mmCIF file of all heavy atoms in Angstrom:
data_model
loop_
_atom_site.group_PDB
_atom_site.id
_atom_site.type_symbol
_atom_site.label_atom_id
_atom_site.label_comp_id
_atom_site.label_asym_id
_atom_site.label_seq_id
_atom_site.Cartn_x
_atom_site.Cartn_y
_atom_site.Cartn_z
ATOM 1 N N VAL A 373 24.053 -1.895 -8.227
ATOM 2 C CA VAL A 373 23.312 -0.732 -8.714
ATOM 3 C C VAL A 373 23.401 -0.642 -10.232
ATOM 4 O O VAL A 373 22.433 -0.278 -10.916
ATOM 5 C CB VAL A 373 23.863 0.559 -8.064
ATOM 6 C CG1 VAL A 373 23.205 1.792 -8.662
ATOM 7 C CG2 VAL A 373 23.661 0.525 -6.556
ATOM 8 N N PHE A 374 24.569 -1.017 -10.795
ATOM 9 C CA PHE A 374 24.757 -0.948 -12.238
ATOM 10 C C PHE A 374 23.756 -1.844 -12.971
ATOM 11 O O PHE A 374 23.159 -1.445 -13.972
ATOM 12 C CB PHE A 374 26.186 -1.373 -12.594
ATOM 13 C CG PHE A 374 26.450 -1.443 -14.081
ATOM 14 C CD1 PHE A 374 26.649 -0.288 -14.818
ATOM 15 C CD2 PHE A 374 26.476 -2.674 -14.728
ATOM 16 C CE1 PHE A 374 26.879 -0.360 -16.184
ATOM 17 C CE2 PHE A 374 26.708 -2.748 -16.087
ATOM 18 C CZ PHE A 374 26.915 -1.584 -16.819
ATOM 19 N N ILE A 375 23.562 -3.066 -12.454
ATOM 20 C CA ILE A 375 22.629 -3.995 -13.093
ATOM 21 C C ILE A 375 21.200 -3.463 -12.999
ATOM 22 O O ILE A 375 20.431 -3.549 -13.957
ATOM 23 C CB ILE A 375 22.733 -5.391 -12.433
ATOM 24 C CG1 ILE A 375 24.104 -5.999 -12.716
ATOM 25 C CG2 ILE A 375 21.621 -6.305 -12.934
ATOM 26 C CD1 ILE A 375 24.326 -7.333 -12.012
ATOM 27 N N VAL A 376 20.852 -2.908 -11.831
ATOM 28 C CA VAL A 376 19.505 -2.364 -11.651
ATOM 29 C C VAL A 376 19.246 -1.224 -12.634
ATOM 30 O O VAL A 376 18.227 -1.192 -13.320
ATOM 31 C CB VAL A 376 19.311 -1.871 -10.195
ATOM 32 C CG1 VAL A 376 17.975 -1.158 -10.056
ATOM 33 C CG2 VAL A 376 19.391 -3.032 -9.221
ATOM 34 N N VAL A 377 20.194 -0.277 -12.708
ATOM 35 C CA VAL A 377 20.026 0.884 -13.593
ATOM 36 C C VAL A 377 19.963 0.442 -15.054
ATOM 37 O O VAL A 377 19.137 0.936 -15.832
ATOM 38 C CB VAL A 377 21.179 1.883 -13.389
ATOM 39 C CG1 VAL A 377 21.128 2.997 -14.436
ATOM 40 C CG2 VAL A 377 21.121 2.473 -11.981
ATOM 41 N N LYS A 378 20.809 -0.498 -15.418
ATOM 42 C CA LYS A 378 20.832 -0.977 -16.804
ATOM 43 C C LYS A 378 19.506 -1.631 -17.184
ATOM 44 O O LYS A 378 18.961 -1.383 -18.274
ATOM 45 C CB LYS A 378 21.979 -1.967 -16.989
ATOM 46 C CG LYS A 378 22.124 -2.465 -18.427
ATOM 47 C CD LYS A 378 23.305 -3.414 -18.554
ATOM 48 C CE LYS A 378 23.426 -3.931 -19.991
ATOM 49 N NZ LYS A 378 24.577 -4.877 -20.134
ATOM 50 N N ALA A 379 18.989 -2.453 -16.293
ATOM 51 C CA ALA A 379 17.719 -3.129 -16.573
ATOM 52 C C ALA A 379 16.574 -2.131 -16.678
ATOM 53 O O ALA A 379 15.727 -2.234 -17.567
ATOM 54 C CB ALA A 379 17.422 -4.151 -15.475
ATOM 55 N N MET A 380 16.529 -1.156 -15.776
ATOM 56 C CA MET A 380 15.460 -0.166 -15.803
ATOM 57 C C MET A 380 15.569 0.726 -17.044
ATOM 58 O O MET A 380 14.561 1.082 -17.656
ATOM 59 C CB MET A 380 15.501 0.688 -14.537
ATOM 60 C CG MET A 380 15.336 -0.088 -13.240
ATOM 61 S SD MET A 380 13.758 -0.986 -13.122
ATOM 62 C CE MET A 380 12.634 0.386 -12.931
ATOM 63 N N LYS A 381 16.793 1.107 -17.412
ATOM 64 C CA LYS A 381 16.996 1.963 -18.589
ATOM 65 C C LYS A 381 16.544 1.259 -19.858
ATOM 66 O O LYS A 381 15.964 1.881 -20.768
ATOM 67 C CB LYS A 381 18.473 2.351 -18.687
ATOM 68 C CG LYS A 381 18.781 3.339 -19.808
ATOM 69 C CD LYS A 381 20.255 3.727 -19.804
ATOM 70 C CE LYS A 381 20.550 4.706 -20.936
ATOM 71 N NZ LYS A 381 21.987 5.096 -20.956
ATOM 72 N N HIS A 382 16.773 -0.037 -19.915
ATOM 73 C CA HIS A 382 16.384 -0.817 -21.094
ATOM 74 C C HIS A 382 14.868 -0.840 -21.281
ATOM 75 O O HIS A 382 14.379 -1.005 -22.407
ATOM 76 C CB HIS A 382 16.915 -2.250 -20.939
ATOM 77 C CG HIS A 382 16.473 -3.179 -22.031
ATOM 78 N ND1 HIS A 382 16.912 -3.071 -23.329
ATOM 79 C CD2 HIS A 382 15.617 -4.243 -22.010
ATOM 80 C CE1 HIS A 382 16.359 -4.014 -24.069
ATOM 81 N NE2 HIS A 382 15.578 -4.741 -23.286
ATOM 82 N N LEU A 383 14.137 -0.665 -20.197
ATOM 83 C CA LEU A 383 12.682 -0.763 -20.248
ATOM 84 C C LEU A 383 11.996 0.608 -20.183
ATOM 85 O O LEU A 383 10.814 0.691 -19.893
ATOM 86 C CB LEU A 383 12.188 -1.651 -19.097
ATOM 87 C CG LEU A 383 12.731 -3.080 -19.104
ATOM 88 C CD1 LEU A 383 12.295 -3.821 -17.859
ATOM 89 C CD2 LEU A 383 12.276 -3.824 -20.353
#
Side-chain angles (χ1 to χ4, degrees):
V373 174
F374 175 77
I375 294 176
V376 173
V377 172
K378 183 178 179 180
M380 300 300 290
K381 185 177 180 180
H382 175 69
L383 300 174

